[in-house]
Amino acid sequence: MPVVSVPCPDCGGPIHRSHTRGFNEKLVRTFTPYKAYRCHECGWRGWFTKGNTILKPETRRTIIQTTISLLVTIILTFLLLYLSNVI
């Protein structure tokens, strides 16, 4: 497992890549350069980019809300286009 050069923000120990959990985390992983990391020493879990920039929780929440809004808009647009051609 690759170790990031940045130490854990809580304890200073090494951090490793972590699996995503749930739909929201998969959205963040898919649409941003951030990846989930975990510290095995203290249990901290968070998000970093390749440039070792940490993802703040409020930014993560904004990304999730924006992505879900965009997906709903796209789905509704296609549904309306489909219904306008059927009727």
Side-chain angles (χ1 to χ4, degrees):
M1 219 184 272
V3 176
V4 176
S5 59
V6 175
C8 171
D10 284 350
C11 73
I15 58 175
H16 306 275
R17 286 287 299 275
S18 178
H19 292 282
T20 54
R21 299 184 289 190
F23 180 71
N24 290 344
E25 289 191 357
K26 289 185 189 330
L27 285 177
V28 173
R29 184 194 67 201
T30 302
F31 293 107
T32 69
Y34 291 96
K35 306 293 179 212
Y37 288 89
R38 172 182 302 283
C39 175
H40 290 289
E41 292 181 16
C42 71
W44 173 88
R45 190 165 183 281
W47 296 76
F48 281 98
T49 63
K50 287 185 180 180
N52 297 333
T53 305
I54 194 166
L55 177 63
K56 296 178 182 174
E58 58 272 7
T59 306
R60 181 174 162 258
R61 201 171 309 118
T62 302
I63 291 169
I64 291 168
Q65 290 171 347
T66 305
T67 305
I68 289 174
S69 297
L70 181 62
L71 289 173
V72 167
T73 303
I74 290 170
I75 290 169
L76 286 175
T77 302
F78 280 117
L79 183 62
L80 287 172
L81 286 171
Y82 174 76
L83 290 175
S84 68
N85 287 332
V86 170
I87 296 176

